[in-house]
């Protein structure tokens, strides 16, 4: 699924300030949630769990913990986010295929550190046994084309241990 993913800067370039970035996320959140709900309802697998825009306090914590520098806020690429939970690993694969083949969902390449289903990920040591697939995407619809190309994060995981 990631073979055709876009390679984009890991920085937000469409906002002039952190406040503007949050405003963009607020505008994009409803279309992102509606798209994911419709996609997985039509597919018949996966449970869409909509998310609010990341809270400012949590975003500031991430800035100070993970990023450095005056323009560190430009590295925040997960203010809009959503989750899809699948009953089986096979449904997870179906869901990832559906995302990858949807022309309105442009997947953006992310690092291996975001792929907690990979064979060499030590889930017991690094995440208390939790595993998921984190994707970054740009939603390309007539409604979202009027906005700067902010990314959203899609978390996909299986309800059962893999």
């Amino acid at each position: 699924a990631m073979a055709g993913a876009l390679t984009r800067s890991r920085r937000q370039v469409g906002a002039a300030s952190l406040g503007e970035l949050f405003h963009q996320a607020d505008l994009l959140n409803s279309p992102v949630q509606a798209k994911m709900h419709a996609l997985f309802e039509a597919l018949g697998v996966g449970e869409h769990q909509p998310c609010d825009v990341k809270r400012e306090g949590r975003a500031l914590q991430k800035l100070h913990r993970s990023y450095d520098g005056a323009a560190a806020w430009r590295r925040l690429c997960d203010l809009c986010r959503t989750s899809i939970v699948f009953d089986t690993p096979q449904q997870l694969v179906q869901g990832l295929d559906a995302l990858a083949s949807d022309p309105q969902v442009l997947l953006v390449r992310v690092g291996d550190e975001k792929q907690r289903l990979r064979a060499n990920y030590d889930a017991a040591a690094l995440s208390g046994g939790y595993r998921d697939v984190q994707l970054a995407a740009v939603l390309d619809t007539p409604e979202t084309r009027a906005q700067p190309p902010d990314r959203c994060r899609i978390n996909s995981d299986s309800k059962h241990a893999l």
Side-chain angles (χ1 to χ4, degrees), residues 22-63:
F22 270 99
H23 178 69
Q24 290 172 3
D26 288 337
L27 293 174
L28 291 168
N29 199 52
S30 290
V32 165
Q33 302 308 326
K35 174 63 179 180
M36 293 300 110
H37 177 78
L39 178 67
F40 286 96
E41 186 172 273
L43 187 61
V45 300
E47 176 188 340
H48 174 238
Q49 298 179 342
C51 300
D52 293 329
V53 170
K54 184 177 276 191
R55 294 186 186 272
E56 289 179 26
R58 176 67 187 104
L60 292 173
Q61 281 179 340
K62 184 175 183 177
L63 284 177

Side-chain angles (χ1 to χ4, degrees), residues 74-88:
R74 290 191 180 278
R75 296 188 60 192
L76 288 173
C77 295
D78 64 345
L79 297 182
C80 277
R81 58 234 165 95
T82 197
S83 288
I84 314 296
V85 178
F86 299 94
D87 288 326
T88 66

Side-chain angles (χ1 to χ4, degrees), residues 58-142:
R58 176 67 187 104
L60 292 173
Q61 281 179 340
K62 184 175 183 177
L63 284 177
H64 293 295
R65 185 195 76 222
S66 301
Y67 307 134
D68 191 24
W73 62 269
R74 290 191 180 278
R75 296 188 60 192
L76 288 173
C77 295
D78 64 345
L79 297 182
C80 277
R81 58 234 165 95
T82 197
S83 288
I84 314 296
V85 178
F86 299 94
D87 288 326
T88 66
Q90 293 77 16
Q91 288 182 355
L92 173 66
V93 171
Q94 269 185 280
L96 294 174
D97 284 343
L99 284 168
S101 63
D102 190 302
Q104 294 182 330
V105 178
L106 308 176
L107 296 177
V108 178
R109 187 168 305 284
V110 295
D112 282 349
E113 71 278 2
K114 301 294 185 188
Q115 305 310 319
R116 294 187 282 218
L117 280 181
R118 68 184 193 280
N120 64 349
Y121 181 75
D122 187 351
L126 298 171
S127 62
Y130 179 78
R131 290 180 173 269
D132 68 1
V133 175
Q134 292 184 26
L135 305 172
V138 174
L139 185 59
D140 183 27
T141 67

Side-chain angles (χ1 to χ4, degrees), residues 122-159:
D122 187 351
L126 298 171
S127 62
Y130 179 78
R131 290 180 173 269
D132 68 1
V133 175
Q134 292 184 26
L135 305 172
V138 174
L139 185 59
D140 183 27
T141 67
E143 182 178 9
T144 62
R145 280 185 207 118
Q147 303 297 324
D150 193 9
R151 285 177 235 161
C152 64
R153 185 182 75 200
I154 303 168
N155 284 346
S156 304
D157 66 307
S158 176
K159 288 182 181 177

